[in-house]
Amino acid sequence: MGKTKRLFTYIALSVISLVSIFPFLWMIVSSTNASVDITQGRLLPGGHFGNNLSSLLETVDLVPALLNSAKISISTTVLAMLIASLAGYGFEVFRSRAKDIVFTILLLSMMIPFAALMIPLFRMFGSISQMMPSIGIDTLTSAVLPTVTTAFLIFFFRQSTKMFPKDMLEAGRIDGLNELGLFFRIYVPTMKTTYAAAAIITFMASWNNYMWPLVVLQSPENQTIPLLISNLGSSYAPDFGVIMTAIVIATLPTAALFFVMQKHFVAGMTGSVK
């Protein structure tokens, strides 16, 4: 009975894994086929990847879009790690009733959909454009600032800080470190797995962000890779082979980041502190 149960478990897990990985396999296979083969449902690799890549490079400015996405994602990730970890550290280490109320309000903000905030944000950046054009509408900075941190990230760091050994902070205070010294010299190195998990989540969310860049980035030279792929699919006769090739290229940075840091990601999500 135990062997039969194990067999059904393996079969169920295999089916679930196949269903999960099929869209990625189909994406990669489709990038090697012509558009007509994709529309006909071909599931075997073809020999058109070179042609699709050449057409993609001739049709759109792929490299500038990748660079724009990289600039936005890296800037957002670095700033989010600093701000969210400082906030999570402060909420947990220096607890008080007032801070708990503020934290509760912060968590309630997660219930507000971003679509409800777009118009106020756009009007705010429109006003900023008149005073400081360098961070106003149609700048990469305007795509970074509203997403520089989230209530989820602050909550994530606070929950991870609950398992941080507070004795290390007391020892640091005895050695004469101030609070910033404690944070950067003790807390940050100890919580590296938490930072790794948060960095992966933030980078992937920023890299794939579509809605806010669509609203705030209006010049073709400022478009990100999701906007470029969207433009490819909005033509009268879209070339699906070219679109799939662009999607494969856009997926590579986030996939590489995840595979390189997956051990730290799992450790950070499970809350381990080293």
Side-chain angles (χ1 to χ4, degrees):
M1 185 67 181
K3 292 183 178 180
T4 304
K5 182 178 180 180
R6 187 180 304 173
L7 177 62
F8 279 111
T9 301
Y10 286 149
I11 292 175
L13 291 176
S14 298
V15 172
I16 294 172
S17 300
L18 181 61
V19 171
S20 300
I21 202 173
F22 176 77
F24 299 98
L25 295 177
W26 181 75
M27 174 185 70
I28 295 172
V29 169
S30 297
S31 68
T32 66
N33 289 318
S35 182
V36 62
D37 295 327
I38 298 173
T39 56
Q40 292 176 356
R42 179 185 172 92
L43 296 177
L44 297 176
H48 292 81
F49 181 78
N51 295 333
N52 292 334
L53 182 60
S54 299
S55 299
L56 175 64
L57 296 176
E58 293 173 359
T59 305
V60 297
D61 295 326
L62 179 64
V63 175
L66 289 171
L67 290 177
N68 289 335
S69 289
K71 292 176 183 177
I72 292 173
S73 300
I74 294 173
S75 300
T76 301
T77 302
V78 171
L79 292 173
M81 293 304 97
L82 177 62
I83 296 173
S85 61
L86 276 170
Y89 174 87
F91 276 122
E92 181 58 29
V93 174
F94 305 104
R95 296 195 65 172
S96 68
R97 183 179 296 273
K99 289 187 180 68
D100 289 340
I101 294 174
V102 173
F103 185 73
T104 301
I105 296 173
L106 189 66
L107 291 181
L108 289 175
S109 69
M110 296 174 63
M111 301 175 62
I112 304 175
F114 185 76
L117 303 175
M118 285 194 302
I119 294 177
L121 279 174
F122 185 82
R123 295 189 62 181
M124 182 182 72
F125 277 98
S127 301
I128 293 175
S129 298
Q130 300 175 6
M131 300 178 290
M132 294 179 287
S134 60
I135 62 173
I137 297 295
D138 199 25
T139 63
L140 297 184
T141 305
S142 64
V144 171
L145 291 179
T147 58
V148 76
T149 191
T150 61
F152 168 77
L153 272 184
I154 297 174
F155 169 78
F156 180 67
F157 273 103
R158 185 187 182 183
Q159 293 302 111
S160 298
T161 306
K162 289 180 182 294
M163 288 171 285
F164 181 81
K166 305 300 190 299
D167 293 342
M168 297 178 65
L169 298 179
E170 295 300 328
R173 292 189 180 100
I174 293 174
D175 290 338
L177 288 176
N178 58 23
E179 292 303 325
L180 284 178
L182 292 172
F183 178 81
F184 286 106
R185 298 180 62 178
I186 297 178
Y187 178 82
V188 173
T190 306
M191 302 292 289
K192 60 183 180 180
T193 55
T194 302
Y195 277 93
I200 291 174
I201 294 172
T202 305
F203 184 88
M204 294 179 68
S206 180
W207 182 271
N208 296 321
N209 191 13
Y210 173 76
M211 185 64 69
W212 178 242
L214 176 66
V215 172
V216 78
L217 299 179
Q218 301 172 351
S219 301
E221 59 269 18
N222 286 333
Q223 70 176 350
T224 59
I225 193 68
L227 299 182
L228 181 143
I229 294 174
S230 176
N231 292 336
L232 286 173
S234 61
S235 60
Y236 180 74
D239 190 324
F240 295 107
V242 173
I243 294 174
M244 289 300 171
T245 302
I247 294 174
V248 169
I249 294 174
T251 305
L252 290 177
T254 54
L257 177 67
F258 180 80
F259 283 117
V260 169
M261 302 179 67
Q262 60 178 326
K263 291 183 179 180
H264 297 293
F265 176 79
V266 173
M269 292 303 293
T270 55
S272 62
V273 178
K274 295 183 180 180

